[in-house]
Amino acid sequence: MHQFVITRRTIYEFPNRTHVSVFEFSGLSDEKECVLFLFIFFLLVYMVTIVGNLGIIALVFAFSSLHTPMYFFLSSLSLVDLFYSSVITPNTLNNLFSFRKSISFFGCALQLYFFSALASTETLLLSTMSYDRYVAICHPLHYTLIMTKKKCFGLILLCYSLCFMQSFVHTCCVFSLPFCGPNLIDHFYCDIPPLLKLSCSSPFHCTMVTGILVVACGIYTFIAISLSYAFIFLSIFRMTSSNGRRKAFSTCSSHIICVSTFFTTVFFVYLRPHSGVFRIQDKMASVFYTTVTPMLNPLIYSLRNQEVKQILIQVIRRSLNRTPP
């Protein structure tokens, strides 16, 4: 007969079985000296993320010169980044100084659902933005006819609908499994791989379902971005004007950097052989794409996009020249 070391706070009993009601995180580091540094780091990154993404949304909303499909998608990406970071960072900040780094069963399910949905939405938005750049560079004369307001709203709605439905399947699949203990998640947030390791039944079918959905989303995103930029580069190389080439490259450079930073860390965490243990390198990569990348996206577009940079300079000058009442 199996023996379980249980407490009322972490496990409640059903007839003939026990069930985890609270999960605990292993966290980022066991070193007490690192806690203050990590808290300051996460807090500063989160503050910059909020200010940067809200700033992009406000600029696009306030200035009519930015009412174009490119900036509409950029503001949508900023909105996703804002919520995406908020799903992970506040709870991580709270747990850094907590004796028990815990989250309820229902809270873990909600965190996984929104994290998975928003991460998938970000990937589809990045692929949609690559299609927008393809139309702008390869079909500039027909850009306004192809990228209509109705089509842009439709693409955004499609991204959200597909990703939130996919995340619903992920979450239902994972949390339909029995969790009888232990309840320690070897991570700093609720993610699918460490949760599947805690199930007291075979997670094979759940692994297959989530794997198929993730691979399908990844393949679609890879093909969409690769084809878009293949046509973009062919079009750029055919240009006779060096100024035209430089302008075309500058309109794509911000998006290329955002795509590269996001997918490099995602591939490092999820698409390589695992030893079965989440090492510190895996956790640091997770920190990068869950916390740092949402901060970098608005900064990259602000610093590398001339139009956004000029508007930011105008706003700063106006605020500095405004005389107090």
Side-chain angles (χ1 to χ4, degrees), residues 89-109:
T89 310
N91 189 62
T92 303
L93 285 169
N94 179 62
N95 283 337
L96 281 171
F97 286 110
S98 299
F99 178 72
R100 294 183 63 200
K101 301 174 177 63
S102 60
I103 188 170
S104 67
F105 186 87
F106 182 68
C108 188

Side-chain angles (χ1 to χ4, degrees), residues 144-160:
T144 54
L145 296 174
I146 297 173
M147 299 303 294
T148 61
K149 187 177 290 187
K150 184 178 180 181
K151 186 173 184 178
C152 291
F153 274 111
L155 287 170
I156 293 292
L157 184 61
L158 182 64
C159 290
Y160 277 100

Side-chain angles (χ1 to χ4, degrees), residues 192-207:
I192 295 175
L195 278 169
L196 291 180
K197 286 168 57 181
L198 298 181
S199 174
C200 52
S201 68
S202 173
F204 175 76
H205 293 95
C206 190
T207 304

